[in-house]
Amino acid sequence: MDSQQSNPATMGRDWQHLPPELLQIIGKKVTSLAVYIRLRAVCRPWQSSCSLRPDHLPVKLPWLMLPYRSDGRNYTTRRFYDLAASKIHELDLPETHGMSICGSSHGWLVLQKGQEMSLLNPITRATISLPPFPGPLSTENLFENRDANEYGFSISPTDNDMVRKAILTSSAHDSSCRVFVLTYSKWPLAFCKIGDVSWKAIEFQSGYPWGEDFDDITYSNGFLYTVSPFAAVTMYNLDDLSKTLLGGGVNLTRIHLVEGVSGDILLIHDKPIYVNRFLKETRHTVYKLSNDGPERKWIKVIDVGQNVLFLGSRHNALSLSSANLQSPEWGPNCLCYHSIRNSQDSSGFGSWYNHNIKLASLDNETVTDITADLGRFQGNERWKRSLWLTPSLL
């Protein structure tokens, strides 16, 4: 028999038209998001048979969206470091060209360019338009009745950095999803729901002893939380328009709020370490609001339970449960962070930064490198920005 002759058992097999119920069974056996995406990409019949929104995929380690390449010539390809696979994925995302990426939440990126704002899922390339961001914003029935024209602001079409941070309350496909933004303006806080035609400003009363400026925001269990430079945390209830001062009086800067896996609110303080004017390392301390006594205070903690904390740049932080990660090497009570340090070039001090990822154990303060250098990037704010992303098809 001719060794080159085709096997009759495989002749004529049409892989495109496998029964949909068989493809669905195969799809549910896949536990890797990257493999599941490739499975759906084989052909149109496989794509239609495998759900775009699978609910069986386990929680995975996040990806770190790196800054643009240091040569600055490719403005559409974005690079993501996949912690679980220890590799970099390059995704063509022309939607991000010229846009400020001001947040990452529930698998979606929040994009802003002047008055234009939108959401982008970098995995599915799905996009959702948000209301334009002009001023003054609507303030009807929000905490105080002030003259919107007196305190309003406007955003020019070329102002790409008005939004400091943006967060979502859930997947953007959820009809109840709200988008909150922290801005550089006289209206620091605003929000909209998916499908709204305008933003609403959140007003706040004066009189708190630690001031009204905000360093960060987060969302947990139906409440919005803000933190001031003196670590004063305020909880907002948008249902009954009430707010509560939870704690403060700690003189900390460079602070980040993050929702813990049990719904508690954690505060991460980072302290840069310079040697001969060069940024060499950043040390982190975690605080938790105490429940003892009449006043809640921040206390330093070295045990955050099942929380695995992830810290990026530009107010970007998230927490995942070590019990759900299905990765034995990622135990509880640790902080993974994007490390940026100065890199001297031929002109001397200044404009270049090296990037890698480190893992710090909070109980014994040991720090290990997760990656080697991931690249050398220009040092202005827009170039060195990085964000943790929980990749999702939802």
Side-chain angles (χ1 to χ4, degrees):
M1 183 175 179
D2 188 351
S3 60
Q4 301 298 317
Q5 185 176 350
S6 299
N7 185 341
T10 63
M11 292 181 63
R13 180 172 294 171
D14 188 354
W15 292 101
Q16 292 190 60
H17 295 96
L18 290 177
E21 57 271 19
L22 178 59
L23 287 169
Q24 292 168 9
I25 293 173
I26 294 172
K28 290 183 178 180
K29 297 291 185 181
V30 176
T31 59
S32 165
L33 176 64
V35 173
Y36 190 86
I37 292 172
R38 290 195 292 269
L39 178 70
R40 295 188 75 252
V42 169
C43 58
R44 289 187 180 276
W46 287 34
Q47 187 179 72
S48 61
S49 298
C50 297
S51 173
L52 176 61
R53 301 182 176 88
D55 56 8
H56 71 282
L57 293 177
V59 177
K60 290 294 185 181
L61 290 167
W63 294 2
L64 181 70
M65 186 188 75
L66 295 167
Y68 281 118
R69 286 185 180 276
S70 56
D71 57 22
R73 289 177 292 183
N74 188 338
Y75 292 102
T76 64
T77 299
R78 300 306 305 246
R79 304 167 74 229
F80 296 81
Y81 186 83
D82 181 346
L83 280 173
S86 299
K87 64 181 294 185
I88 290 177
H89 303 289
E90 293 193 349
L91 305 183
D92 185 31
L93 299 174
E95 300 89 347
T96 65
H97 176 52
M99 306 292 285
S100 173
I101 301 179
C102 47
S104 168
S105 192
H106 296 277
W108 292 77
L109 299 176
V110 185
L111 312 180
Q112 182 227 333
K113 182 179 182 181
Q115 298 175 354
E116 176 186 353
M117 291 196 68
S118 61
L119 304 177
L120 169 69
N121 185 322
I123 306 301
T124 65
R125 294 281 299 278
T127 59
I128 296 176
S129 295
L130 296 176
F133 208 34
L137 305 183
S138 167
T139 61
E140 183 179 0
N141 297 326
L142 286 175
F143 294 96
E144 288 185 43
N145 292 318
R146 289 181 179 172
D147 183 355
N149 293 320
E150 179 184 355
Y151 293 94
F153 66 93
S154 61
I155 298 175
S156 77
T158 59
D159 191 347
N160 279 16
D161 292 309
M162 176 61 75
V163 178
R164 297 166 60 186
K165 179 177 180 176
I167 56 175
L168 279 64
T169 59
S170 62
S171 168
H173 288 304
D174 185 342
S175 60
S176 65
C177 176
R178 285 172 168 169
V179 183
F180 290 94
V181 291
L182 177 63
T183 73
Y184 294 105
S185 74
K186 292 181 180 179
W187 295 108
L189 292 172
F191 76 95
C192 72
K193 291 183 65 175
I194 302 297
D196 281 354
V197 297
S198 64
W199 293 83
K200 294 181 176 66
I202 300 176
E203 297 201 61
F204 41 86
Q205 297 175 353
S206 60
Y208 285 159
W210 299 289
E212 295 286 5
D213 192 19
F214 300 130
D215 263 12
D216 202 0
I217 59 175
T218 194
Y219 183 86
S220 175
N221 295 326
F223 297 95
L224 177 71
Y225 296 83
T226 64
V227 63
S228 78
F230 290 90
V233 173
T234 303
M235 180 179 71
Y236 295 80
N237 184 334
L238 295 182
D239 291 329
D240 62 12
L241 303 182
S242 65
K243 64 179 185 175
T244 306
L245 180 65
L246 298 182
V250 181
N251 188 8
L252 298 175
T253 58
R254 299 177 63 95
I255 51 183
H256 314 266
L257 279 184
V258 61
E259 176 193 11
V261 295
S262 299
D264 49 343
I265 303 300
L266 302 174
L267 183 76
I268 304 173
H269 171 236
D270 55 272
K271 180 181 180 181
I273 306 298
Y274 292 90
V275 177
N276 296 327
R277 299 188 302 155
F278 281 80
L279 175 63
K280 289 299 183 182
E281 185 53 84
T282 303
R283 295 175 183 170
H284 302 92
T285 308
V286 180
Y287 294 83
K288 186 176 181 180
L289 278 176
S290 68
N291 292 316
D292 299 330
E295 295 184 2
R296 303 183 69 180
K297 298 180 180 179
W298 289 111
I299 56 173
K300 180 180 176 181
V301 294
I302 59 173
D303 184 359
V304 291
Q306 293 297 314
N307 290 286
V308 180
L309 304 176
F310 297 86
L311 186 63
S313 65
R314 184 102 177 207
H315 311 291
N316 172 243
L318 63 92
S319 177
L320 299 176
S321 170
S322 61
N324 296 333
L325 289 178
Q326 299 185 357
S327 301
E329 65 274 18
W330 289 85
N333 207 37
C334 60
L335 186 149
C336 180
Y337 63 98
H338 176 218
S339 175
I340 303 174
R341 65 186 186 281
N342 283 120
S343 172
Q344 190 169 12
D345 58 19
S346 58
S347 64
F349 176 80
S351 60
W352 293 89
Y353 288 79
N354 286 92
H355 295 240
N356 73 333
I357 299 174
K358 296 180 179 291
L359 185 67
S361 175
L362 296 176
D363 50 6
N364 58 26
E365 297 184 349
T366 58
V367 178
T368 57
D369 289 335
I370 297 296
T371 68
D373 279 341
L374 297 173
R376 186 167 171 264
F377 303 92
Q378 287 185 328
N380 65 67
E381 180 61 26
R382 295 191 67 198
W383 281 84
K384 69 182 181 182
R385 190 175 307 163
S386 63
L387 293 171
W388 288 105
L389 171 83
T390 50
S392 174
L393 294 173
L394 299 178

